Amino acid sequence: MLYALLGGFGVAALAPWLHQLFGRHSGWALALWPATLFIYFASMLSGVNDGPVLVSHDWIPSLGIQLSFMVDGLSLLFALLISGIGVFIVAYAGRYLEQHQDVGRFYAILLAFMASMLGLVLSDNLISLFVFWELTSITSYLLIGFNHEDAAARRSALQGLFVTVGGGLALMTGLIMLAMVGGSYELSTLLGQGDVIREHAWYAPMLALILLGAFTKSAQFPFHFWLPNAMAAPTPVSAYLHSATMVKAGIYLLARLNPALGGSQLWLTVLGSVGAITLFIGIWLALRSTGIKKVLAYSTVMALGTLTMLIGLGTDIALSAAMAFLLAHSLYKGALFMIAGIIDHGTGSKDLRDTGGLFRAMPVTAVTASVAALSLAGVLPMFGFVAKELLFESVLSSAASWITLLVVAGTAMTVAVAALIGILPWYGKTAVTKRTPHEAPPALLAGPIVLATLGLLFGLFAPLVDERLLGAAVSAVAGNSVTPNLALWHGINVALGLSALTLALGLCLYFCRDQFRHYTRFTDTLAKAGPERGYDASISWLVKISAWQTRFFQSGYLRYYLLIILLTFMALVWTVMLIHWPALSMGIDLRGIQLHEYALVFVLVAAALAAARSESRLGAVASLGAVGFTVALLYVMFSAPDLGITQVLVETLTVILLVLVLFRLPGFLRLTSTALRLRDAMVASAVGITMTCLLLFAADARLYDSISHWHVAQSMPGGYGRNIVNVILVDFRALDTLGEIFVLALAATGVLAMIRLRAEDKSK
Amino acid sequence: MSTLLATAVGVLYATAIYLILRRSIVKLVIGLVLLSNAANLLIFTSSGLTRYAPPLIPEGSDTVLNGIVADPLAQALILTAIVIGFGVLAFAVVLIHRAYEVVKADDMDQMKDTDT
Amino acid sequence: MNMPKQPDSLILRVTGHFLLPLLIMFSLFLLLRGHNEPGGGFIGGLVASAAIALHLFFTDVQSARRLIWLDPRDLLGWGLSIAIASGVIAMFSGLPFLSALWTELTVPMFGMLKIGTPLMFDIGVYLVVIGTVLNILLSLAEAEEA
């Protein structure tokens, strides 16, 4: 299992090289990897009805994070879709991007995305789930922005990234709260703790955070805007993102957590209403669009809304409907997107209005498209019909009436959208296209044909699908054993009546589409003021604020940086000191000071002031020397002979250094006005007073025992040395010293490099 | 005594800060030396001052020191800090010298562009 | 300050030649006794570098470079390597990096001597300090002469 997942990243890393090796057949060659995975996952199908399979590896044992995987009906359904559709996407991409120069890079990202997606649906640990979740965000960012020379593609990619990663941040918090409430990071444990989790005080905020993550990823209203923009990606990516992966990740998360979080009134209300609204807005915008990929993208928004709503309803039949709908949607949407790519590839047109009568030129594509569109419309023998019947039944039995109304209207409009895709480009008057239309090559057609045919076969053999595939998935979502009872024919009932009604309404809408567009123009203005506007505004504000704060903090003048740092430092120190004010006492004590000590400190202070006020370099350096040697004397007087010796030696060397360099710089100049000098003097005095106060307080307050006693006690028995300072340096804290001599060596190397640079400059 | 030294540390800090706030790069260097001394003396004073009791165990007595002894840990820290202070000072001095050769001005304000 | 190429101070030259070996020996003495008395790698290294800096004042850079048969850059490398090696030795005995190991040697004339990896570490420090100071001073002086 681990190899199946991590191997994907390995293959991704090798992909550019494999592409070189196989040349134009690399698509098929690389498709072997998802094909192998598909067979591997398919072999697990028979065992999955017996309960989840758990595999676990230690990852970060100290944090209790494991790389553990769980295979149950739900994750297996997703894994099969991801790897299965992946086969055709990779093969399709090989042909579709044949002319593109960066195909190797494309394969690498696509396969890495596939591996992340599989990791996401198979993870049992919340942390690894989250890591894979973010990996899908990042790789999909790279995929959407694949044509990075196109500004629109970059913008869309960044938009997708901001929205999904922003949601991801919320999700992480939510998942950590979930783990704290449920007492485990393992999903398999958490799923059995639904009652504890729902009763907990954190339930509402936790749910809000997790839903924010799922909704942004799955493009639910009001975050639906990024998905259609993601159409900037190459067509195989759109087909993959929309059918089986990326956007379904949010749905997967909702379905996965349903046993732990679902079933409450809050869950029902939020998911039901957000889902229904998304459904309606999605299909409305789809019907108003004319670009083929745009229409399909908005219909994906509709499907995602439907799925969210069904999971929110949470009844057995709603969950069955959700899983059936998910399967049906993955099949037809994958096929339709690839067909959109074929139209683009074969005719050069991306707009529905520019196409027509293509049946004559590309009959196989046309028939495939019609079959897939029938499934989208939910017409009788297709699997889409089965899913739609279940959708109607579940909505009729448990949803609020306004939701039912939205669903019925949405379904009728879906029929019209299906007709737009399945009829408009293929039949009727032949449109003039940029390129002469021709039938697509097998690599492009394989995916659509297989997926569309599966949509038909699954419909015809619905009970078999139920038993082998969906039963386990629905049980996993529900948290207990459920038999979905999929069947093509449920007898004559209300749902069938609604099906017929929506079909008729949809076809009417299709034929009156121009009038519909004309009379609904007003919604365009509404859409312009929509959430995307908010996104744009917040991004531009972000840029403005960061530009302002950069101008403010990054002035380029050293003294302003210093002033900001010093003022911040003083503010922080005084805040803490004032908070603890009552407990503090100044340890002022002038007893027992001898005369020579007074004299020494007087010399020190006088020398420091002289250094600051000196008008000549020699005077300043001499004053510095006086400061240094006085400090050395102080060290010696207060029992630090080692420090005294070191200080004297370093002081000597410092003077030599300054003599070598400083006197080759120009003399002192008076560069600032008296007012500025006064300001700096005030800041400097404030810092000095702060440090003095800090020291006086510190002298009187010892919060913790010193660890020096240990060093003193252990020096002889443990370190075999009588000079405790040296024992600390070379034995007790030798690692610190090692770091310090590395710093010294670095400083020397830096000096050497700078002087070398200068020598080279001069020799030029 | 620590009261007296605390005052001295304050003066050292004040002069150091005043100097590094100047536009003249030579004054910046002198300020850095003072700052390094101020910081060392700060640590030294805050660890407590002890007269005539260096952290040395007299020869012959293989056992633990009795009575008060100056804090050896602070001394070890300061010892390396003094030497590192020298290394950093050398680096800063050469860097400033190099910058001066390029900009040809003893003025920090003329070094604010990233490409000089 | 311009350093004269030809030293003209007889006193400085004579005392310099006389002092240099003494100072180097003193620095080694400080290094070796550092574990028990004031001294150690840092102080010993500083004394040695100060001695060579003194030499720099009455001769030129070339002769100062000849004086130390190693390039100061190599001193840095050797010092760091010796310090790290002294830590690695402990790892062969299954102890953590930089654990101190001691052994007793009987040397004629000195009697019993305790030597251990901390001494080796201190020698590394000694070399790095000399390397750092000399690298900086010599390359600056070289730039001066050029």
Side-chain angles (χ1 to χ4, degrees):
Chain A
M1 174 65 70
L2 189 65
Y3 298 116
L5 281 182
L6 299 186
F9 290 107
V11 175
L14 290 176
W17 179 75
L18 289 172
H19 171 63
Q20 300 262 311
L21 197 69
F22 291 105
R24 59 189 300 259
H25 301 294
S26 53
W28 288 112
L30 285 168
L32 284 176
W33 171 252
T36 316
L37 286 180
F38 182 79
I39 294 167
Y40 170 66
F41 289 126
S43 72
M44 292 177 156
L45 262 180
S46 53
V48 84
N49 281 321
D50 306 334
V53 182
L54 294 169
V55 188
S56 180
H57 304 269
D58 273 348
W59 184 12
I60 313 175
S62 53
L63 292 178
I65 296 173
Q66 291 186 322
L67 207 54
S68 50
F69 303 108
M70 172 168 66
V71 184
D72 65 353
L74 180 65
S75 46
L76 200 58
L77 172 65
F78 270 90
L80 285 170
L81 283 174
I82 294 163
S83 55
I85 296 181
V87 175
F88 299 110
I89 298 288
V90 174
Y92 183 93
R95 193 78 174 79
Y96 188 83
L97 291 172
E98 209 174 7
Q99 312 297 331
H100 203 288
Q101 51 177 1
D102 290 331
V103 195
R105 177 162 62 92
F106 180 80
Y107 284 132
I109 308 171
L110 186 68
L111 288 169
F113 174 73
M114 188 186 294
S116 324
M117 203 59 214
L118 283 172
L120 167 59
V121 298
L122 291 168
S123 285
D124 186 36
N125 188 291
L126 286 181
I127 299 291
S128 55
L129 182 143
F130 176 74
V131 169
F132 284 119
W133 174 283
E134 293 291 277
L135 275 176
T136 62
S137 289
I138 294 166
T139 44
S140 69
Y141 163 72
L142 294 172
L143 285 174
I144 297 170
F146 179 65
N147 289 317
H148 53 76
E149 282 161 19
D150 177 7
R154 289 202 303 269
R155 184 183 177 278
S156 304
L158 204 59
Q159 191 180 49
L161 186 74
F162 276 162
V163 173
T164 52
V165 170
L169 215 56
L171 176 70
M172 183 178 73
T173 321
L175 289 181
I176 291 172
M177 286 166 83
L178 176 64
M180 287 168 74
V181 171
S184 167
Y185 274 101
E186 303 299 310
L187 274 169
S188 42
T189 317
L190 284 171
L191 294 185
Q193 310 229 323
D195 294 331
V196 181
I197 293 167
R198 277 186 294 269
E199 293 302 311
H200 200 275
W202 287 3
Y203 177 69
M206 175 169 78
L207 186 65
L209 289 167
I210 291 178
L211 288 185
L212 200 58
F215 284 179
T216 48
K217 194 85 162 182
S218 282
Q220 298 294 305
F221 176 83
F223 306 110
H224 60 277
F225 57 88
W226 73 264
L227 187 55
N229 290 338
M231 290 299 102
T235 303
V237 174
S238 314
Y240 202 37
L241 292 188
H242 282 231
S243 55
T245 55
M246 184 73 174
V247 294
K248 295 275 172 68
I251 302 298
Y252 167 79
L253 190 74
L254 295 178
R256 171 51 80 212
L257 295 176
N258 181 48
L261 293 172
S264 67
Q265 189 58 40
L266 190 65
W267 173 272
L268 173 70
T269 316
V270 175
L271 263 66
S273 43
V274 169
I277 293 170
T278 311
L279 177 165
F280 188 75
I281 290 184
I283 201 66
W284 178 275
L285 291 170
L287 206 52
R288 287 215 38 87
S289 307
T290 54
I292 304 174
K293 285 175 83 177
K294 265 253 147 81
V295 171
L296 288 172
Y298 277 122
S299 80
T300 303
V301 174
M302 176 278 291
L304 296 169
T306 311
L307 289 169
T308 307
M309 181 196 72
L310 285 171
I311 294 171
L313 293 180
T315 55
D316 285 355
I317 186 152
L319 295 179
S320 312
M323 288 302 110
F325 197 89
L326 180 105
L327 180 59
H329 176 256
S330 299
L331 296 175
Y332 68 67
K333 193 50 63 71
L336 286 176
F337 259 114
M338 288 194 252
I339 287 166
I342 294 176
I343 297 178
D344 184 10
H345 203 252
T347 67
S349 52
K350 296 178 159 72
D351 199 295
L352 280 171
R353 287 169 302 188
D354 303 341
T355 54
L358 289 174
F359 179 78
R360 276 174 288 280
M362 27 173 80
V364 184
T365 318
V367 171
T368 316
S370 307
V371 173
L374 282 178
S375 197
L376 167 63
V379 179
L380 189 52
M382 310 299 297
F383 194 63
F385 174 76
V386 178
K388 195 175 70 172
E389 291 292 279
L390 283 170
L391 166 67
F392 281 147
E393 279 179 34
S394 51
V395 172
L396 283 172
S397 63
S398 58
S401 49
W402 66 275
I403 291 184
T404 315
L405 201 64
L406 281 185
V407 170
V408 173
T411 315
M413 287 156 81
T414 309
V415 174
V417 167
L420 275 181
I421 311 251
I423 301 175
L424 191 59
W426 314 105
Y427 310 103
K429 198 159 60 74
T430 308
V432 186
T433 50
K434 280 186 212 154
R435 278 177 232 156
T436 323
H438 55 88
E439 190 56 272
L444 294 188
L445 270 176
I449 292 179
V450 171
L451 295 179
T453 315
L454 278 178
L456 177 63
L457 289 178
F458 282 6
L460 292 174
F461 301 102
L464 212 60
V465 180
D466 174 7
E467 188 185 315
R468 288 287 159 86
L469 189 59
L470 287 187
V474 176
S475 305
V477 179
N480 48 34
S481 186
V482 176
T483 322
N485 260 330
L486 298 188
L488 196 54
W489 187 249
H490 277 243
I492 299 176
N493 54 15
V494 188
L496 189 70
L498 279 178
S499 274
L501 177 69
T502 52
L503 206 60
L505 276 175
L507 286 175
C508 288
L509 204 54
Y510 169 67
F511 287 114
C512 315
R513 59 185 180 273
D514 292 329
Q515 284 85 342
F516 171 80
R517 289 223 179 91
H518 185 73
Y519 287 117
T520 54
R521 276 169 313 174
F522 68 96
T523 54
D524 283 0
T525 20
L526 219 61
K528 273 199 191 112
E532 188 165 9
R533 183 87 172 269
Y535 167 84
D536 287 340
S538 47
I539 292 293
S540 76
W541 268 107
L542 201 64
V543 172
K544 270 183 203 152
I545 291 173
S546 60
W548 169 81
Q549 70 107 28
T550 308
R551 270 197 310 277
F552 181 77
F553 288 112
Q554 308 287 329
S555 58
Y557 293 98
L558 177 68
R559 57 180 185 281
Y560 291 125
Y561 291 109
L562 284 172
L563 280 176
I564 290 171
I565 293 169
L566 291 171
L567 293 176
T568 314
F569 161 77
M570 284 196 288
L572 291 175
V573 170
W574 279 108
T575 310
V576 174
M577 291 210 285
L578 290 178
I579 287 172
H580 296 283
W581 191 257
L584 291 175
S585 63
M586 290 251 193
I588 298 181
D589 181 11
L590 289 172
R591 282 168 303 164
I593 304 174
Q594 284 149 23
L595 190 62
H596 65 274
E597 291 169 350
Y598 271 117
L600 211 55
V601 171
F602 175 77
V603 171
L604 178 63
V605 168
L609 288 174
R613 290 189 44 82
S614 172
E615 295 291 324
S616 77
R617 288 167 300 174
L618 192 62
V621 172
S623 312
L624 269 192
V627 169
F629 287 110
T630 324
V631 171
L633 271 176
L634 279 172
Y635 288 147
V636 175
M637 276 165 53
F638 291 98
S639 318
D642 286 276
L643 291 192
I645 302 171
T646 314
Q647 173 79 19
V648 167
L649 289 166
V650 164
E651 209 52 52
T652 314
L653 290 169
T654 304
V655 171
I656 297 178
L657 176 81
L658 293 181
V659 163
L660 277 175
V661 178
L662 214 53
F663 290 94
R664 298 201 294 171
L665 295 173
F668 285 173
L669 292 170
R670 232 186 139 87
L671 289 166
T672 37
S673 64
T674 315
L676 277 178
R677 285 170 169 260
L678 212 60
R679 178 200 67 186
D680 290 347
M682 275 163 65
V683 173
S685 313
V687 175
I689 292 168
T690 308
M691 297 316 283
T692 304
C693 290
L694 195 63
L695 249 181
L696 290 175
F697 288 136
D700 227 41
R702 174 140 275 183
L703 295 177
Y704 305 102
D705 274 340
S706 167
I707 54 167
S708 301
H709 303 306
W710 186 88
H711 291 127
V712 173
Q714 287 296 317
S715 177
M716 216 32 221
Y720 301 112
R722 284 184 283 109
N723 182 356
I724 307 173
V725 175
N726 187 263
V727 173
I728 292 175
L729 281 177
V730 298
D731 191 347
F732 294 156
R733 303 195 67 88
L735 193 61
D736 289 355
T737 313
L738 187 65
E740 278 147 355
I741 58 176
F742 262 98
V743 174
L744 277 183
L746 264 177
T749 316
V751 169
L752 215 61
M754 278 190 285
I755 288 173
R756 270 290 137 74
L757 264 177
R758 183 170 57 180
E760 278 167 19
D761 270 4
K762 274 185 182 162
S763 64
K764 266 179 204 161
Chain B
M1 184 63 201
S2 64
T3 311
L4 198 59
L5 270 187
T7 320
V9 168
V11 173
L12 278 181
Y13 265 104
T15 49
I17 298 290
Y18 177 76
L19 281 169
I20 62 173
L21 282 172
R22 306 269 51 80
R23 271 166 69 180
S24 160
I25 44 179
V26 181
K27 289 189 179 172
L28 175 74
V29 173
I30 292 167
L32 281 179
V33 181
L34 283 177
L35 196 61
S36 143
N37 273 319
N40 291 339
L41 215 51
L42 174 83
I43 301 172
F44 190 65
T45 313
S46 66
S47 73
L49 299 169
T50 318
R51 289 191 187 89
Y52 316 118
L56 296 167
I57 300 167
E59 198 153 8
S61 82
D62 279 353
T63 47
V64 186
L65 275 177
N66 293 317
I68 299 168
V69 67
D71 189 340
L73 188 61
Q75 293 193 14
L77 292 179
I78 297 169
L79 199 148
T80 49
I82 294 172
V83 183
I84 287 199
F86 173 74
V88 172
L89 177 77
F91 186 82
V93 162
V94 175
L95 182 69
I96 284 167
H97 185 233
R98 173 99 187 111
Y100 166 71
E101 282 187 330
V102 176
V103 184
K104 290 283 174 229
D106 176 35
D107 185 356
M108 291 303 300
D109 285 10
Q110 298 190 19
M111 297 190 186
K112 71 190 197 66
D113 296 327
T114 42
D115 50 353
T116 46
Chain C
M1 187 179 92
N2 283 318
M3 268 187 287
K5 294 244 162 79
Q6 281 305 110
D8 46 8
S9 163
L10 183 70
I11 302 174
L12 196 58
R13 204 165 58 223
V14 173
T15 40
H17 276 298
F18 182 62
L19 269 178
L20 184 68
L22 275 181
L23 280 173
I24 298 286
M25 275 175 64
F26 182 56
S27 82
L28 284 169
F29 166 72
L30 281 173
L31 163 69
L32 293 177
R33 75 163 202 165
H35 216 55
N36 292 321
E37 304 289 335
F42 280 104
I43 291 174
L46 286 171
V47 168
S49 4
I52 298 171
L54 182 70
H55 188 75
L56 192 65
F57 270 92
F58 59 84
T59 58
D60 54 1
V61 179
Q62 274 72 36
S63 97
R65 274 197 190 281
R66 268 198 304 277
L67 197 69
I68 31 165
W69 18 263
L70 270 174
D71 189 303
R73 274 177 293 178
D74 295 346
L75 279 180
L76 286 179
W78 279 110
L80 289 178
S81 310
I82 290 172
I84 292 172
S86 80
V88 174
I89 289 174
M91 294 171 81
F92 286 112
S93 322
L95 292 165
F97 182 58
L98 283 171
S99 302
L101 291 177
W102 292 91
T103 180
E104 289 186 1
L105 270 186
T106 319
V107 182
M109 291 176 59
F110 284 95
M112 283 270 281
L113 259 188
K114 273 203 171 107
I115 60 165
T117 52
L119 183 65
M120 184 171 163
F121 185 83
D122 223 6
I123 293 171
V125 173
Y126 177 79
L127 293 178
V128 171
V129 171
I130 300 181
T132 303
V133 176
L134 288 187
N135 257 319
I136 293 169
L137 289 186
L138 286 181
S139 50
L140 277 174
E142 243 162 10
E144 177 98 351
E145 284 179 9

